[in-house]
Amino acid sequence: MFKILDCTLRDGGYYTNWDFSSEVVNAYIQAMNKLPIDYLEVGYRNNISNEYLGKFGYTPVSVLRQLREACGKKLVVMLNEKGTLPSDLEYLLKPIQGLADMVRLAIDPQNFDRALILAEAVKAMGFEVGFNTMYMSKWHEYEGFLNKLNKLNGVADLFCMVDSFGGVTPDDIKDVFQIVKANTICPIGFHGHNNLQMGLVNTLTAIDCGVNYVDATILGMGRGAGNLNMELLLTCLNKRGLDVDFNVLGDAIIAFQPLYDNHKWGTTLPYMLSGANSIPQKEVMEWVTNRAYSFNSIVRAIDNKKNKVKDNARYPLLKTDKVSKVLIIGGGNTSIEHLDAIKEYIRLYPDMPIIFVTSRYVAYYNDVSNKKYYCLVGNEAKRLERNVVEEDFNGTCVLAPYPRLMGTEVPVYAEKSTFELEEINFTNSYPDSCTTVALQTALFLGATEVNVVGYDGYKGEVLSEKEMELSNENKTLFKEFEKSNMAVLHSLTPSLYKELSVKSIYQFL
């Protein structure tokens, strides 16, 4: 009979920075005690680092002792092999002897030989050893790796096939399992991610093949697209005869539901594409959870990685005559509230270029004859197409320097009028920001006076996450622009940004 391992706290920690409230943990342990689950992987044991990791990123001795007292199941902790030496085990594992039952090692196949030495040291300390080997869908690229599996005999208590990218299929499971089975007598497990919604069918296939361990998490909570839902696995196994108390299972789901409502893990098109093309979850997860990146930008960046290119397009460098003054138009409401004044101001300076940070309000300026520059970052190409038809387009599109992190998108009608900046030289922060591109364009044009409108800032004490991120981004860029001493910067419309000095546009009319 195979064993079931729940790794909600360990894998789910990628969404909470490994912080879980005592209420959630207590409800989880109480439920696990009554469910047909054999092992609980509760967190990492990590060396000291400069980044913040929550309670279950380190799983201190005191925490593990509390879990040991409250929990009747076997407890598991994980080590990242790439950051752990055998000499670290005195600090990481000796204090938890008798508290944790199994130590699983997260292993890159190319580090197999080194990981084997670490596994032997862990085994010598009296722990069960799980050899969690990642990147299953790419194992064929690691020459000779599978032929080494016999070295695990007598060392590892579990060789876990980890579908890190969430891209394997049931046929892959069958084929790889037979190869693994032929090369080791070590018990075999499967840990699946759900990028292609294959978590359940892959796990059931692995069970039918004869694996000894399977992993799942409550509500599928896990890195990137997440894992197989434990409640789904138990429901299917109940049909096969496994005794499951669904009221208890419901208690576990209720405990984690607020976390799901907040973080919304699960598969999306970016995760599907990353799974199908074996692209690391870590990078895609950073993009998906970054509110500044549009859906299309993420898909484009994934496509570039799939095609192994730095960027999907390259354009000529921007070249233009020099000017002394520019006006940057932002996306705040004051761009519209003071529209008549702004357009009157523009008419006073017919040689002054207009730089649109966003294409949100560009249609209001179709009748303006000044030279126009459109900053294309993220989803701005699509926004420009929505707001300016081909017949009305008479400007220049500007891109960040090559290569662009999230790839490149340009309206078809603007292809011949699109250029990229050679460099960003006033800041090292936010290179893929619309504001960065706009300010750098102003400097490239030679402007010594840069005026902005529509940078309103955000009112209220409580800001949304997106508002907070954008506000902090703009504050940083304004500070660094001023520090560069390359040009003076003023807002001609009201602004809550203290980093911007404000002059009323009406004084110039």
Side-chain angles (χ1 to χ4, degrees):
M1 180 64 180
F2 60 90
K3 300 182 184 299
I4 302 174
L5 185 150
D6 183 280
C7 48
T8 305
L9 298 182
R10 197 275 304 169
D11 214 341
Y14 284 98
Y15 275 98
T16 66
N17 240 347
W18 291 279
D19 274 326
F20 293 91
S21 70
S22 298
E23 291 77 14
V24 168
V25 174
N26 290 339
Y28 169 76
I29 294 298
Q30 290 175 23
M32 292 297 114
N33 280 339
K34 300 174 184 177
L35 291 170
I37 292 168
D38 304 280
Y39 288 79
L40 304 184
E41 189 170 66
V42 294
Y44 284 97
R45 288 286 285 175
N46 274 310
N47 285 311
I48 296 170
S49 70
N50 293 325
E51 62 179 329
Y52 176 81
L53 299 176
K55 183 186 297 185
F56 297 97
Y58 289 105
T59 321
V61 174
S62 58
V63 172
L64 203 50
R65 184 175 291 116
Q66 291 173 355
L67 293 175
R68 180 73 288 160
E69 292 172 355
C71 182
K73 303 301 174 77
K74 287 193 171 185
L75 298 181
V76 185
V77 294
M78 179 169 276
L79 300 179
N80 275 314
E81 185 277 335
K82 69 177 180 181
T84 308
L85 299 172
S87 58
D88 296 326
L89 300 185
E90 181 80 10
Y91 163 72
L92 291 174
L93 295 188
K94 189 172 182 180
I96 65 169
Q97 287 175 315
L99 297 177
D101 300 282
M102 178 184 283
V103 175
R104 295 213 292 184
L105 309 176
I107 297 161
D108 185 327
Q110 68 181 357
N111 298 329
F112 180 94
D113 295 326
R114 189 178 71 188
L116 185 63
I117 296 171
L118 184 64
E120 289 171 342
V122 173
K123 184 73 170 178
M125 297 182 77
F127 296 97
E128 295 177 49
V129 177
F131 212 83
N132 274 40
T133 310
M134 302 182 289
Y135 316 138
M136 181 182 174
S137 58
K138 299 182 75 173
W139 282 358
H140 63 281
E141 298 179 13
Y142 298 89
E143 187 175 352
F145 155 64
L146 291 168
N147 295 329
K148 297 179 179 180
L149 296 186
N150 63 333
K151 295 181 179 181
L152 294 174
N153 298 341
V155 177
D157 300 280
L158 162 63
F159 174 79
C160 190
M161 307 183 298
V162 182
D163 180 21
S164 306
F165 306 116
V168 303
T169 66
D171 285 342
D172 296 327
I173 298 287
K174 294 172 186 175
D175 293 342
V176 174
F177 177 82
Q178 292 304 322
I179 296 172
V180 172
K181 189 72 174 174
N183 282 280
T184 181
I185 60 173
C186 177
I188 303 169
F190 176 68
H191 175 101
H193 281 254
N194 219 19
N195 296 59
L196 298 180
Q197 296 283 28
M198 293 281 192
L200 177 62
V201 66
N202 283 338
T203 299
L204 293 179
T205 300
I207 290 171
D208 292 339
C209 285
V211 295
N212 307 97
Y213 290 79
V214 291
D215 291 11
T217 61
I218 298 298
L219 288 174
M221 188 179 191
R223 190 177 200 169
N227 306 321
L228 166 62
N229 292 43
M230 179 61 78
E231 60 273 16
L232 183 57
L233 175 63
L234 293 181
T235 299
C236 289
L237 294 179
N238 176 253
K239 288 190 67 176
R240 297 186 177 191
L242 184 68
D243 185 24
V244 178
D245 187 330
F246 287 99
N247 288 320
V248 171
L249 183 57
D251 291 338
I253 293 170
I254 289 170
F256 283 89
Q257 188 66 46
L259 290 174
Y260 174 78
D261 293 340
N262 182 31
H263 297 286
K264 299 292 184 186
W265 60 82
T267 198
T268 60
L269 183 57
Y271 285 130
M272 294 172 196
L273 291 171
S274 68
N277 295 285
S278 296
I279 295 170
Q281 300 257 43
K282 179 180 184 294
E283 197 164 11
V284 178
M285 185 175 175
E286 289 172 355
W287 294 341
V288 170
T289 56
N290 187 321
R291 303 300 190 272
Y293 295 146
S294 70
F295 193 85
N296 291 339
S297 298
I298 296 168
V299 171
R300 196 163 50 246
I302 292 171
D303 198 51
N304 288 344
K305 280 195 165 289
K306 178 185 72 173
N307 295 323
K308 297 181 179 179
V309 296
K310 291 183 178 179
D311 201 341
N312 55 286
R314 190 156 199 174
Y315 289 84
L317 294 178
L318 181 64
K319 294 180 180 179
T320 184
D321 296 331
K322 301 301 182 181
V323 299
S324 61
K325 177 188 299 195
V326 301
L327 180 67
I328 295 176
I329 299 181
N333 290 335
T334 55
S335 293
I336 300 303
E337 292 171 3
H338 301 281
L339 180 62
D340 291 341
I342 294 170
K343 293 175 79 169
E344 185 178 348
Y345 175 78
I346 290 172
R347 285 192 291 271
L348 291 175
Y349 302 98
D351 295 327
M352 178 182 65
I354 312 301
I355 302 173
F356 292 98
V357 174
T358 171
S359 296
R360 180 172 295 145
Y361 298 131
V362 293
Y364 290 93
Y365 296 87
N366 279 344
D367 59 340
V368 170
S369 60
N370 296 52
K371 191 161 187 178
K372 300 170 188 172
Y373 293 89
Y374 304 96
C375 299
L376 298 188
V377 175
N379 214 32
E380 287 301 322
K382 280 190 166 45
R383 181 174 280 162
L384 179 59
E385 286 182 300
R386 287 196 299 268
N387 292 318
V388 177
V389 297
E390 183 173 359
E391 293 73 22
D392 292 332
F393 177 77
N394 62 352
T396 299
C397 293
V398 183
L399 303 170
Y402 178 93
R404 289 160 283 279
L405 176 64
M406 305 309 289
T408 303
E409 184 174 17
V410 173
V412 174
Y413 62 66
E415 285 282 348
K416 294 182 180 179
S417 302
T418 298
F419 300 86
E420 57 189 50
L421 295 168
E422 184 174 4
E423 63 177 348
I424 303 292
N425 61 13
F426 78 92
T427 182
N428 292 318
S429 306
Y430 307 106
D432 55 351
S433 158
C434 286
T435 298
T436 301
V437 173
L439 291 172
Q440 189 64 54
T441 299
L443 293 176
F444 179 79
L445 294 175
T448 55
E449 180 182 340
V450 179
N451 294 314
V452 304
V453 295
Y455 275 94
D456 305 356
Y458 297 97
K459 295 180 180 179
E461 295 181 1
V462 180
L463 303 183
S464 70
E465 186 175 356
K466 184 174 182 178
E467 290 170 340
M468 183 69 75
E469 287 177 359
L470 186 56
S471 178
N472 290 335
E473 176 183 305
N474 287 337
K475 287 178 181 178
T476 299
L477 292 172
F478 294 148
K479 283 180 182 177
E480 295 191 357
F481 189 87
E482 181 182 15
K483 193 185 300 182
S484 73
N485 292 318
M486 296 179 183
V488 296
L489 179 65
H490 298 294
S491 176
L492 302 185
T493 53
S495 176
L496 295 174
Y497 288 109
K498 294 180 180 179
E499 296 76 14
L500 281 175
S501 64
V502 178
K503 291 185 175 182
S504 172
I505 195 167
Y506 294 97
Q507 70 180 282
F508 300 104
L509 306 183

